[in-house]
């Protein structure tokens, strides 16, 4: 059983030239953005991996660990230095190890990450992307994230977000997106928009002693009491698409005041909508709202249908010298082909052999229409491979590339090197054709969580998909070796030196033979017996 | 084989042992030394140790202008123009002291000055004179006006204008000789200068970082403890705390208020440091103390003793600035919750503090802004609250002045000090601040440099890079330049040089590269050296000992 809560907050704020006055927009983040001339900032912290085949399409997927991509304003002259300073500042702001972002894991994608806000410049030299798949997300990252909300965790939906429940889940992803948007229809001036989103997947079947019922209290051990007085919109959406008629198979308490039918990711979806601004929703006795769901029929759960577009990745090969990264991209659309943009970032210590790159679909070679490859330089920058590949309908495309493992210097190994080295997920962006006709005029009604990526064309929708992060073993030395080597060398030198020294300085002289050891012993015995020696 | 062969063999052994010793000492040791040494750029240790003894020499340019009617023709002929020095030395301890010198120039008023002084309105005169006569930062002009002048009220002897000019009602007796005239004036002039430039206590307080704490009584430093330490820049943050957004919909026009009230002041202070201003609104931010209900006045009370506990929980919400390292001046406007209003701060006697504000040293100020619910007469919550920014900013500006170190002055008796008006601070108040800050910067920079030199001297493992060395050199040069400028009485350039010296010395002191090899432990060093050095040195030592013994024995035999 899966259920997720999606909290989206939008804060709009105007920014003046010299003096910055913040109302809803958090000052700490605003200062960082203006100080480093950031145009767009996307930062996500994720724990766990979104299981697309079991949980369906996510609203906003993120790569495991930390992912940060930033568009700088064109006034920035030295992007690399600014990026370094920005990551250090964000690292302090979010209590995360973002300071580990350096040139060895930063890339400048040419095609994959386009700005999401108002565009006036798309020169990709102002873009930086980095991912830290090893980073572990925990409470200390959640607290600063909650602090960015105007009401903090004191009111509104954020009351539910208690760390002790949120981190006992199968998937946890929190993100911060800042982008410029038009302040009005004419778009003369822009404002910043801050979107904070949190996705959690609860496994209630395991934790709820095999029962499939759930309620807010069961999941979060809290109920909703009041809405944040500053919010213009505060809504809970409940996906009830699977049941044909809401009250047939399941029962909601309190019953949903309204149902919204809309298209999300190319599919019809119906949502039970609870508008938290409505005071009648709260129970009169306890002044709280606890949404609960009960199943009427003990019907077997339908396995979610296979997503149109999905991808997998794994490492093959044996031994510690060479290996192969394989990526499988599925297009399950019955009749339409579509192109996908694949971005692969591989650290320098896996040396890719670009000539071994093979892309095969249905047993035939598939030639990408666009390739951008930036080879790695040792200890300086990673490999970046971007390709535009056409995926035919109902097909699996296999992309394979071989690599060789490099030997690291002994100080370059992280603590616990035998755990392995992470290779960040590859990013696949595609405009996936939908199976139904979408009406564009419903976008205004669409829930908040679909607003970051708006679709331009009615027949397609945008999907950004992340594959699994890989864990690769590198040859690991014995770390006491340097000291052993020093000791051994010193001993060898000392022994050599000692004999040489002896040879040079000893005085050699002939000594009269005084008999062997046997004679000495014999003499001793004779002396004891009182017999004169020989 | 005879004994001759044996002895020659012996001496050969001795020679080769000697040769090996020589080679080890001449080649091996330097090689080892060279390959394991840490890079240490040369530093001007001797010059830094000279700074350990600091004798400041400050000179203040003063002009005393005699207007028409104050001196007789005879006196004027003998007296004007002329320059005199009066000097005072104050040795604080063996290492620190200062002396200051007033360079008094006596002259007669020019025609334009004379015209301005003849006026009736002193404020107009002050403005006219400041336009006519562009005075140097740090200098003071004293106009001696006739005893019956109508410029300012008759009972006032000294009038201090908001720029760098002061007026003195002439105490000169017409029959006096030149020396007596100067004596008449000098006492007043000193008094005015103590107000308009600096006093001994201020300089002592500025130099306090050079002494161990507790050397002087704390009373001297209460003012300087309130103020922030000298820094290159300050961040001013205005925060509106609304702990109860359900009942109060607060709204403040901070942008307008900053432009109207704060910005003119900051523009004036721009010589002194960089300032940045921002504001934020924080919701659900509560004070750390639950106010007590006072039945008699039907209001809530915060006691003076509980004020220190108020700040900490609020501070967690203020958010530190990650984008710069300047100190932050926090000004909080607190609108109490509906259930806790009205809220008043009461002092230890129990009477309410009139302004309902308090400030915390080197941190900022808090003002409590009560919403008058009776007057608003609205029953439906939330009540929209429009904050009276003029009232708020008046309080915050007073606190800002205090926190930046513009101290209240003790004017001489029978004197009147012109209020700075909308400039918030007068020119001479700024000069006072600059004098103090320059001295403070010099004290801090010399302190930093001497402790850096001491540290580097004590710990031989520290790598000294070239850039650290260059920072140290430039800091030293700036300190010396600043001292020279002070001696010459050029306050502005002295201040700028002292600022530069602080930056360079701090940058050198806090350079991360100093820490790189600091913690290389000795036991690991020995663990690496012993397997090599012990087997190499023991035979050499033994053969040296043997040779020495041999030598001694032979001497005895001979």
């Amino acid at each position: 059983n899966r259920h997720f809560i999606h909290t989206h907050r939008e804060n709009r704020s105007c920014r003046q030239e010299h003096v910055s006055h913040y109302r809803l927009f958090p000052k700490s983040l605003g200062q960082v953005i203006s100080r480093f001339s950031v145009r767009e900032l996307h930062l996500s912290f994720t724990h766990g991996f979104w299981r697309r085949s079991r949980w369906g399409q996510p609203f906003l997927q993120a790569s495991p660990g930390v992912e940060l991509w930033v568009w700088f304003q064109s006034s920035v002259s030295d992007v690399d230095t600014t990026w370094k300073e920005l990551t250090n500042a964000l690292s302090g702001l979010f209590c995360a190890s973002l300071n580990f972002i350096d040139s060895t894991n930063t890339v400048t994608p040419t095609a994959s990450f386009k700005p999401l806000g108002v565009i006036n410049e798309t020169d990709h030299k102002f873009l930086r992307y980095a991912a830290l798949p090893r980073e572990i997300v925990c409470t200390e990252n959640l607290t600063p994230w909650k602090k960015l909300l105007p009401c903090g965790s004191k009111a509104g939906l954020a009351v539910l977000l208690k760390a002790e429940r949120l981190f006992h889940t199968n998937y946890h992803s929190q993100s911060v997106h800042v982008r410029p948007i038009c302040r009005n229809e004419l778009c003369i001036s822009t404002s910043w928009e801050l979107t904070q989103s949190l996705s959690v997947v609860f496994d209630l079947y395991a934790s709820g002693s095999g029962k499939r019922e759930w309620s807010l209290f069961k999941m979060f051990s809290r109920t909703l009491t009041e809405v944040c007085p500053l919010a213009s919109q505060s809504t809970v959406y409940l996906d009830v698409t699977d049941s044909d008629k809401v009250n047939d198979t399941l029962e909601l308490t309190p019953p949903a005041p309204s149902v919204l039918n809309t298209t999300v990711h190319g599919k019809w979806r119906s949502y039970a909508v609870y508008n938290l601004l409505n005071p009648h929703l709260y129970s009169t006795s306890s002044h709280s709202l606890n949404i609960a769901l009960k199943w009427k029929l003990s019907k077997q759960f339908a396995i979610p249908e296979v997503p149109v577009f999905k991808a997998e990745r794994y490492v093959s090969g044996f031994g510690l010298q060479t290996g192969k990264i394989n990526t499988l991209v599925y297009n399950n659309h019955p009749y339409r082909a579509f192109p996908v943009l694949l971005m692969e970032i591989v650290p320098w210590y896996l040396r890719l052999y670009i000539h071994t790159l093979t892309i095969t679909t249905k047993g035939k070679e598939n030639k990408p229409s666009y390739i951008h490859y930036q080879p790695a330089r040792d200890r300086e920058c990673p490999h970046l491979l971007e390709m535009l590949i056409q995926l035919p309908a109902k097909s699996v495309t296999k992309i394979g590339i071989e690599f060789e493992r490099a030997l690291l210097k002994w100080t370059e190994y992280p603590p616990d090197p035998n755990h392995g080295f992470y290779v960040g997920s590859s990013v696949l962006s595609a405009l996936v054709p939908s199976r139904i006709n979408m009406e564009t005029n419903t976008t205004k009604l669409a829930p908040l969580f679909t607003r970051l990526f708006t679709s331009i064309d009615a027949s397609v929708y945008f999907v950004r998909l992340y594959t699994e992060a890989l864990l690769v073993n590198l040859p690991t030395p014995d770390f006491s070796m340097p000291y052993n080597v020093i000791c051994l060398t010193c001993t060898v030198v000392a022994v050599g030196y000692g004999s040489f020294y002896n040879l040079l300085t000893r005085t050699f002289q002939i000594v009269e033979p005084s008999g062997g050891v046997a004679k000495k012993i014999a003499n001793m015995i004779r002396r004891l017996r009182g017999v004169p020696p020989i | 084989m005879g004994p001759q062969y044996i002895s020659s063999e012996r001496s050969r052994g001795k020679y080769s042992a000697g040769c090996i010793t020589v080679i080890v000492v001449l080649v091996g040791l330097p090689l080892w030394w060279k390959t394991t040494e840490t890079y240490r750029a040369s530093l001007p240790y001797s010059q830094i140790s000279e700074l350990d003894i600091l004798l400041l020499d400050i000179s203040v340019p003063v002009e005393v202008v005699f207007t028409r009617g104050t001196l007789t023709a005879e006196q004027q002929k003998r007296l004007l123009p002329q320059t005199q020095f009066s000097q005072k030395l104050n040795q604080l301890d063996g290492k620190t002291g200062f002396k200051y010198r007033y360079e008094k120039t006596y002259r007669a008023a020019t025609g334009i000055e004379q015209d301005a002084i003849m006026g009736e309105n002193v404020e107009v005169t002050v403005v006219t004179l400041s336009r006519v006569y562009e005075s140097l930062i740090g200098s003071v002009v004293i106009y001696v006006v006739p005893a019956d002048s109508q410029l300012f009220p008759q009972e006032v002897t000294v009038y201090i204008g908001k720029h760098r000019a002061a007026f003195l009602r002439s105490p000169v007796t017409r029959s006096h000789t030149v020396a007596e005239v100067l004596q008449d004036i000098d006492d007043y002039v000193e008094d005015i200068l103590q107000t308009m430039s600096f006093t001994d206590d201020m300089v002592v307080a500025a130099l306090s970082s050079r002494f161990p704490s507790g050397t002087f009584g704390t009373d001297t430093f209460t003012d300087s403890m309130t103020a922030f330490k000298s820094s290159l820049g300050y961040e001013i943050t205005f925060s509106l705390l609304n702990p109860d957004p359900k009942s109060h919909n607060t709204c403040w026009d901070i942008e307008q208020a900053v432009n109207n009230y704060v910005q003119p002041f900051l523009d004036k202070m721009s010589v002194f440091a960089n300032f940045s201003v921002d504001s934020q609104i924080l919701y659900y931010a509560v004070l750390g103390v639950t106010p007590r209900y006072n039945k008699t006045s039907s209001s809530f009370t915060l006691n003076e003793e509980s004020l220190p506990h108020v700040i900490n929980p609020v501070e967690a919400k203020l958010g530190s600035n990650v984008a710069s390292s300047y100190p932050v001046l926090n000004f909080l406007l607190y609108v109490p919750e509906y259930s806790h209003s009205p809220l008043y701060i009461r002092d230890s006697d129990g009477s309410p503090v009139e302004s309902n504000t308090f400030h915390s040293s080197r941190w900022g100020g808090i003002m409590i802004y009560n919403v008058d619910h009776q007057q608003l007469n609205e029953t439906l919550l939330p009540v929209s609250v429009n904050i009276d920014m003029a009232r708020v900013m008046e309080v915050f500006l007073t606190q800002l002045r205090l926190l930046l170190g513009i101290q209240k002055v003790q004017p001489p008796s029978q004197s009147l000090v012109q209020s700075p008006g909308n400039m918030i601070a007068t020119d001479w108040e700024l000069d006072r601040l600059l004098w103090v800050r320059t001295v403070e910067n010099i004290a801090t920079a010399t302190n930093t440099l001497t402790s850096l030199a001491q540290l580097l001297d004590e710990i031989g493992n520290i790598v000294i890079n070239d850039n650290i060395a260059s920072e140290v050199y430039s800091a030293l040069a700036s300190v010396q330049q600043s001292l020279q400028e002070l001696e010459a009485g050029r306050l502005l350039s002295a201040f700028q040089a002292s600022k530069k010296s602080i930056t360079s010395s701090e940058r050198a002191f806090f350079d991360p590269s100093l820490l790189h090899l600091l913690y290389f432990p000795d036991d690991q060093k020995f663990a690496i050296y012993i397997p090599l050095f012990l087997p190499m040195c023991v035979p050499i030592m033994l053969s040296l000992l043997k040779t020495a013994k041999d030598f001694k024995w032979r001497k005895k035999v001979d």
Side-chain angles (χ1 to χ4, degrees):
Chain A
N1 254 15
R2 65 178 163 91
H3 286 287
F4 37 75
I5 280 279
H6 227 78
T7 311
H8 260 256
R9 280 300 158 88
E10 278 182 83
N11 287 332
R12 288 156 200 236
S13 141
C14 327
R15 197 187 143 246
Q16 303 298 316
E17 273 305 302
H18 298 296
V19 188
S20 297
H21 300 290
Y22 302 94
R23 223 179 86 78
L24 290 176
F25 203 92
K27 188 187 76 137
S28 49
L29 190 62
Q31 276 180 333
V32 170
I33 289 170
S34 54
R35 164 85 160 72
F36 299 107
S37 314
V38 172
R39 183 137 59 87
E40 215 169 276
L41 180 141
H42 303 269
L43 172 65
S44 67
F45 296 90
T46 310
H47 184 71
F49 180 72
W50 185 276
R51 302 190 184 281
R52 198 167 277 256
S53 52
R54 281 173 54 201
W55 302 338
Q57 195 83 269
F59 295 110
L60 205 63
Q61 203 196 342
S63 73
V66 172
E67 186 197 33
L68 172 68
W69 56 285
V70 171
W71 277 90
F72 289 97
Q73 273 162 20
S74 46
S75 56
V76 178
S77 56
D78 187 353
V79 181
D80 285 318
T81 319
T82 320
W83 165 251
K84 184 78 205 150
E85 287 169 2
L86 172 73
T87 52
N88 277 316
L90 288 175
S91 155
L93 194 60
F94 288 99
C95 298
S97 317
L98 291 172
N99 51 327
F100 283 121
I101 293 177
D102 54 16
S103 68
T104 61
N105 45 28
T106 302
V107 291
T108 303
T110 54
S112 292
F113 288 90
K114 288 292 164 212
L116 299 180
V118 187
I119 307 161
N120 48 13
E121 174 108 40
T122 52
D123 187 349
H124 58 78
K125 77 177 180 194
F126 296 110
L127 170 66
R128 290 292 178 275
Y129 173 93
L132 295 173
R134 207 187 154 97
E135 179 75 12
I136 290 165
V137 184
C138 203
T139 328
E140 73 265 21
N141 308 118
L142 182 70
T143 315
W145 183 89
K146 280 200 286 193
K147 262 193 192 174
L148 299 180
L149 296 168
C151 285
S153 50
K154 295 276 172 57
L157 282 171
V159 172
L160 301 175
L161 309 178
K162 289 289 167 192
E164 71 262 31
R165 301 309 286 237
L166 287 185
F167 289 101
H168 280 131
T169 50
N170 286 1
Y171 178 81
H172 171 101
S173 172
Q174 59 186 62
S175 61
V176 170
H177 303 270
V178 180
R179 61 172 183 176
I181 52 161
C182 289
R183 208 177 288 175
N184 48 32
E185 302 279 308
L186 291 169
C187 209
I188 298 161
S189 53
T190 57
S191 327
W192 289 332
E193 181 199 62
L194 169 67
T195 311
Q196 286 180 255
S197 116
L198 180 82
S199 314
V200 184
V201 177
F202 284 94
D203 191 349
L204 288 173
Y205 196 71
S207 63
S209 61
K211 283 184 184 159
R212 294 195 310 234
E213 285 95 4
W214 62 262
S215 68
L216 286 185
F217 186 75
K218 255 188 197 165
M219 284 194 284
F220 299 101
S221 69
R222 297 276 185 300
T223 51
L224 290 167
T225 47
E226 56 176 345
V227 70
C228 175
L230 309 162
S232 56
Q233 200 181 347
S234 188
T235 319
V236 176
Y237 293 92
L238 241 157
D239 191 339
V240 287
T241 317
D242 293 339
S243 53
D244 309 324
K245 271 182 188 170
V246 174
N247 287 329
D248 238 20
T249 49
L250 51 85
E251 189 192 343
L252 286 171
T253 39
S258 61
V259 173
L260 171 77
N261 287 311
T262 180
T263 52
V264 176
H265 294 317
K267 265 181 232 157
W268 276 109
R269 290 260 158 215
S270 45
Y271 292 101
V273 180
Y274 293 87
N275 186 2
L276 300 180
L277 293 172
N278 177 6
H280 302 297
L281 214 58
Y282 300 90
S283 80
T284 42
S285 53
S286 61
H287 298 286
S288 67
L289 171 66
N290 180 22
I291 300 169
L293 181 141
K294 265 190 191 148
W295 295 92
K296 277 187 177 165
L297 305 166
S298 58
K299 146 186 129 175
Q300 195 66 40
F301 266 102
I303 298 160
E305 60 180 304
V306 190
V308 174
F309 172 48
K310 67 169 190 170
E312 294 166 3
R313 194 162 72 139
Y314 58 93
V315 174
S316 60
F318 54 86
L320 285 175
Q321 198 186 357
T322 55
K324 188 176 182 183
I325 298 175
N326 304 284
T327 312
L328 297 175
V329 188
Y330 295 84
N331 174 5
N332 292 325
H333 201 278
Y335 50 86
R336 277 189 66 176
F338 60 86
V340 63
L341 194 58
L342 178 133
M343 184 179 90
E344 186 104 47
I345 300 167
V346 181
W348 63 267
Y349 40 79
L350 301 184
R351 299 200 164 114
L352 292 185
Y353 293 141
I354 194 74
H355 70 276
T356 61
L357 176 70
T358 49
I359 306 165
T360 46
T361 315
K362 294 177 175 170
K364 277 182 284 179
E365 198 198 337
N366 186 343
K367 231 176 149 52
S369 47
Y370 168 78
I371 286 195
H372 171 77
Y373 176 65
Q374 179 201 312
R377 261 173 296 154
D378 280 4
R379 297 176 181 87
E380 274 174 41
C381 70
H383 301 271
L384 168 68
L385 179 62
E386 279 182 288
M387 294 184 290
L388 187 68
I389 305 166
Q390 187 72 20
L391 303 179
K394 278 188 102 51
S395 70
V396 185
T397 306
K398 186 175 177 185
I399 302 149
I401 186 161
E402 287 178 22
F403 64 86
E404 190 189 72
R405 293 163 165 94
L407 277 172
L408 298 182
K409 289 180 183 161
W410 75 298
T411 46
E412 286 169 345
Y413 285 91
D416 190 15
N418 289 308
H419 176 76
F421 288 73
Y422 284 94
V423 178
S425 16
S426 45
V427 186
L428 291 98
S429 323
L431 285 171
V432 180
S434 57
R435 287 191 220 179
I436 45 143
N437 286 327
M438 247 198 317
E439 296 162 55
T440 37
N441 55 2
T442 57
T443 44
K444 271 205 179 141
L445 280 170
L448 269 177
F449 49 77
T450 56
R451 233 177 240 175
L452 205 58
F453 298 102
T454 45
S455 56
I456 316 111
D457 192 354
S459 60
V460 290
Y461 59 97
F462 180 79
V463 173
R464 179 166 292 150
L465 184 152
Y466 295 85
T467 62
E468 299 90 336
L470 299 176
L471 188 57
V472 182
N473 267 313
L474 286 193
T476 315
D478 167 15
F479 286 102
S480 66
M481 201 173 62
Y483 182 64
N484 297 347
V485 167
I486 289 171
C487 281
L488 184 69
T489 325
C490 288
T491 314
V492 168
V493 168
V495 166
Y497 165 82
S499 16
F500 188 64
Y501 186 85
N502 268 347
L503 206 64
L504 284 177
T505 58
R506 271 291 148 80
T507 349
F508 293 97
Q509 65 187 88
I510 294 157
V511 186
E512 289 299 315
S514 62
V517 181
K519 197 179 169 186
K520 268 187 186 165
I521 296 171
N523 275 341
M524 230 153 75
I525 298 169
R526 285 172 82 97
R527 211 183 299 142
L528 282 176
R529 282 174 54 201
V531 187
I534 308 166
Chain B
M1 237 173 259
Q4 200 161 17
Y5 171 76
I6 293 170
S7 76
S8 81
E9 183 68 24
R10 261 207 194 128
S11 60
R12 188 198 61 82
K14 265 180 225 159
Y15 279 129
S16 48
C19 285
I20 288 174
T21 315
V22 168
I23 290 171
V24 165
V25 170
L26 288 187
V27 180
L29 275 181
L31 192 73
W32 167 73
W33 188 256
K34 200 76 207 157
T35 46
T36 58
E37 105 183 313
T38 47
Y39 179 74
R40 286 166 77 85
S42 73
L43 291 182
Y45 288 109
S46 62
Q47 283 169 301
I48 291 173
S49 63
E50 274 168 32
L51 284 184
D52 200 29
I53 295 164
L54 185 70
L55 184 67
L56 286 173
D57 188 350
I58 310 167
S59 77
V60 185
V62 186
E63 272 186 79
V64 181
V65 182
F66 290 95
T67 53
R68 215 181 304 143
T70 49
L71 293 180
T72 57
E74 172 69 15
Q75 282 171 331
Q76 190 159 354
K77 210 172 112 193
R78 296 237 176 134
L79 193 65
L80 307 177
Q82 129 168 335
T83 307
Q84 273 207 349
F85 297 93
S86 67
Q87 189 164 308
K88 202 179 163 199
L89 179 79
N90 195 345
Q91 187 71 34
L92 297 172
D93 66 358
K95 285 178 174 175
T96 316
F98 64 92
K99 62 177 177 196
Y100 55 87
R101 198 161 14 121
Y102 296 127
E103 278 185 36
K104 286 179 265 194
T105 314
Y106 301 96
R107 66 173 174 85
T110 59
I112 310 170
E113 282 170 344
Q114 190 66 53
D115 289 347
I117 284 166
M118 293 310 281
E120 294 269 303
N121 189 339
V122 71
E123 272 152 45
V124 176
T125 312
V126 166
V127 173
T128 333
L129 282 175
S130 78
R131 281 212 198 106
V132 170
Y133 186 75
E134 191 71 39
S135 59
L136 228 86
I137 290 180
S139 68
V140 173
V141 187
I142 299 169
Y143 292 95
V144 182
V145 296
D148 55 350
S149 169
Q150 299 295 311
L151 200 60
F152 42 87
Q154 200 65 47
E155 65 276 8
V156 177
T157 331
V158 175
Y159 183 89
I160 296 172
K162 62 179 175 180
H163 295 288
R164 294 190 180 88
F167 301 92
L168 171 65
R169 198 176 286 284
S170 172
V172 179
T173 317
R174 288 183 163 263
S175 58
H176 276 183
T177 61
V178 172
E180 282 167 334
V181 167
L182 291 186
Q183 205 131 58
D184 288 343
I185 287 187
D186 260 6
D187 282 349
Y188 287 101
V189 168
E190 300 259 305
D191 273 353
I192 294 172
L193 287 176
Q194 293 273 319
T195 312
M196 289 178 76
S197 59
F198 52 84
T199 60
D200 281 25
D201 280 352
M202 283 163 66
V203 179
V204 173
L207 286 169
S208 65
S209 66
R210 289 181 61 91
F211 309 112
S213 58
T215 315
F216 303 101
T218 45
D219 296 350
T220 334
F221 303 138
T222 36
D223 277 347
S224 60
M225 291 289 275
T226 313
F228 271 81
K229 277 265 177 201
S230 173
S231 161
L232 299 180
Y234 297 94
E235 308 246 333
I236 300 169
T237 303
F238 295 101
S239 308
L240 171 61
L241 306 189
N242 184 359
D244 193 8
K246 262 165 80 183
S247 348
H248 298 142
N249 183 10
T250 49
C251 174
W252 65 345
D253 192 1
I254 182 73
E255 210 177 321
Q256 188 83 33
V258 165
N259 285 339
N260 288 353
Y261 304 106
V262 185
Q263 208 54 52
F265 175 55
L266 295 184
D267 288 343
K268 202 167 166 49
M269 298 284 284
S270 61
V271 194
F272 162 70
N274 300 323
F275 290 95
S276 72
V277 183
D278 41 21
S279 78
Q280 60 180 344
I281 302 182
L282 295 173
Y283 300 95
Y284 289 104
V286 286
L287 300 180
V289 180
T290 321
R292 250 182 285 150
Y293 185 67
N294 190 332
K295 263 185 188 163
T296 48
S297 60
S298 69
S299 65
F300 288 83
T301 306
L302 272 181
N303 284 327
E304 200 186 325
E305 307 90 71
S306 59
L307 291 183
H309 311 293
V310 162
I311 294 171
N312 281 354
V314 177
E315 174 123 53
K317 292 212 93 182
L318 290 178
S320 52
N321 189 356
V322 282
S324 89
S325 51
Y326 293 147
V328 184
L329 285 81
N330 289 295
F331 294 101
L332 313 186
L333 183 68
Y334 184 78
V335 182
E337 295 113 305
Y338 180 67
S339 55
H340 281 162
S341 54
L343 178 65
Y344 295 105
I345 300 174
R346 278 169 207 274
D347 57 19
S348 39
D349 308 336
S351 52
V353 175
E354 200 184 331
S355 56
N356 223 3
T357 60
F358 66 98
H359 71 261
S360 169
S361 296
R362 297 188 182 175
W363 184 83
I366 298 187
M367 176 177 183
I368 293 172
Y369 189 97
N370 284 313
V371 178
D372 195 349
H373 286 276
Q374 272 100 41
Q375 204 173 52
L376 281 168
N377 213 4
E378 281 180 63
T379 44
L380 200 67
L381 295 174
V383 179
S384 73
V385 180
N386 241 327
I387 284 161
D388 176 14
M389 289 315 280
R391 202 178 108 199
V392 172
M393 277 300 158
E394 191 193 327
V395 171
F396 282 165
L397 279 173
T398 323
Q399 289 176 341
L400 181 63
R401 267 173 57 109
L402 266 178
L403 290 169
L404 287 178
I406 302 178
Q407 301 162 1
K408 281 228 170 66
V409 287
Q410 287 291 323
S413 54
Q414 295 182 333
S415 69
L416 195 66
V417 179
Q418 189 187 4
S419 96
N422 60 354
M423 292 192 308
I424 319 297
T426 57
D427 281 353
W428 54 268
E429 275 178 325
L430 267 181
D431 288 354
R432 269 167 76 98
L433 188 61
L434 279 185
W435 285 118
V436 173
R437 291 302 186 186
T438 312
V439 174
E440 196 183 316
N441 284 350
I442 291 173
T444 316
T446 52
N447 255 357
T448 316
L449 281 178
T450 41
S451 36
L452 177 68
Q454 199 188 345
L455 182 82
L456 294 180
D457 209 35
E458 265 171 27
I459 307 174
N461 264 343
I462 299 182
V463 178
I464 308 174
N465 286 332
D466 284 337
N467 64 326
I468 293 177
S470 73
E471 292 291 353
V472 169
Y473 275 105
S474 88
L476 198 63
S478 311
V479 169
Q480 279 158 354
Q481 195 203 337
S482 177
L483 287 173
Q484 278 165 16
E485 298 288 337
L486 268 188
E487 204 176 329
R490 288 187 290 268
L491 177 58
L492 189 60
S493 42
F495 176 70
Q496 270 152 358
S498 75
K499 230 161 66 165
K500 216 173 120 198
S501 74
I502 278 238
T503 329
S504 302
S505 63
E506 302 271 292
R507 212 180 288 154
F509 194 85
F510 292 107
D511 198 288
S513 75
L514 286 180
L515 288 175
H516 278 177
L517 271 180
L518 190 57
Y519 298 111
F520 200 73
D522 275 343
D523 54 337
Q524 286 191 14
K525 238 190 257 177
F526 280 115
I528 287 168
Y529 286 151
I530 282 179
L532 182 65
F533 282 159
L534 205 66
M536 281 183 94
C537 292
V538 167
I540 294 180
M541 283 301 179
L542 285 180
S543 53
L544 281 179
L545 268 178
K546 205 176 154 196
T547 318
K549 218 185 257 174
D550 218 31
F551 187 69
K552 226 186 231 171
W553 178 75
R554 196 167 303 163
K555 230 178 177 179
K556 214 185 248 175
V557 168
D558 286 351

